[in-house]
Amino acid sequence: MKLGVIADDFTGASDIALTIAEAGMTVAQFSGVPDAGRSDVDAGVVALKSRTAPVADAIAQSVAACDWLIGQGAKQIIFKVCSTFDSTPQGNIGPVLDALADRLGAGPVIVCPAFPENGRSVYMGQLFVGDVPLNESGMQDHPLTPMTDADLRRVLAAQSHRPVTHIAAPTVWSGADAIRDALPDRGHVIVDAIRDDDLRTIGLAALGLPLLCGGSGIALGLPANFGATPSMPHWTPVTTRGVVLSGSCSRATRAQVAAFRKDAPALEVTVDAIVAGDITPQTVVNWILVQSVAPLVYSSADPDDVAAAQAKHGSDTAARAIETLFADVARALVDAGFGRIVVAGGETSGAVVTALDARALDIGPRIAAGVPMVRIAGFDVALALKSGNFGDVDFFAKALAQMAGD
């Protein structure tokens, strides 16, 4: 193994695994820290469910993943975070990044969540989604990690005990040597990137650095440092029954839900109904089984509805109710012969993958920027694990079709 990735959620893990696979490396994605060694791949991606875990737990899981990857021979570690840098003032990005830097003895750590293909760019230290600052993009309404500041320097400095500095776009445009010359001896460095070419330049500048942090775009230029050349991941179609499970409340997902509902049966589940026992995994499964086409089950409510549910039940209870329901439903559907499952939302995806005991995933071709098809290793079950804001409005239908080879 040459390159190791620690991802703080499951959709992010699939996202960066696709980037590395398309750049020509063989990649395996693991659900949690594996029990056994793996030496037959160029890159390993360890998917954790640590983005919103207690800080101490997130650190412990991430350091354990780092130790395993280094034990497999990884020469460089990426701490993969969301391209919207989701993190509260208490963490978990800063504390985990500090712990990894300490474990690896890292000096400067390049930090860049830019993903230009999906509209995420970093300019003058500010994170933009499309043409608006992060805190005006809808992320300010995120139910678990609301992002109210677009300045990554302030966001990270509030969480880290290391100094946070910045390398601006003109330096990046001057080339990899200019970036290397601008790196400090120690600390975290926010590096601007507004184009894929910027990320490739950053990748070249990162040659030999033990640790980086960013979205999936941070990996665009890294495989070439290890001699890899671009290639297309292999895929064998899965044609068994399909379903869409949406636990994301992002603007993009709500639009995707609205579009898919026009042509497919849809069932909305709410926290109130789950807590009251009016909706159970079995009632949802029974409803799905009688549908003649791939249906949608969703809890993708508007921000005001989410806030009301959190106020009534508590944010942890509300989130756990939704995640547990979808996890139980997914497990029952696989037992019933379903082989294509589209999941929207990072936390929901993590719950589903855990419930299916999907210890390793094989990475297939892309459905949309940052979203590959994946297959549970050793089983004929295909998944599409989508971060909330990713994908076009027709993503659900496209994912189901592509998994079937259509």
Side-chain angles (χ1 to χ4, degrees), residues 253-268:
T253 300
R254 297 200 309 271
Q256 290 158 352
V257 166
F260 194 73
R261 288 179 59 194
K262 294 178 181 178
D263 300 308
L267 175 67
E268 182 177 14

Side-chain angles (χ1 to χ4, degrees), residues 298-313:
Y298 68 100
S299 65
S300 304
D302 292 333
D304 289 345
D305 295 332
V306 173
Q310 289 177 330
K312 181 176 180 180
H313 301 288

Side-chain angles (χ1 to χ4, degrees), residues 268-280 313:
E268 182 177 14
V269 296
T270 66
V271 173
D272 285 348
I274 297 169
V275 172
D278 296 331
I279 289 180
T280 68
H313 301 288

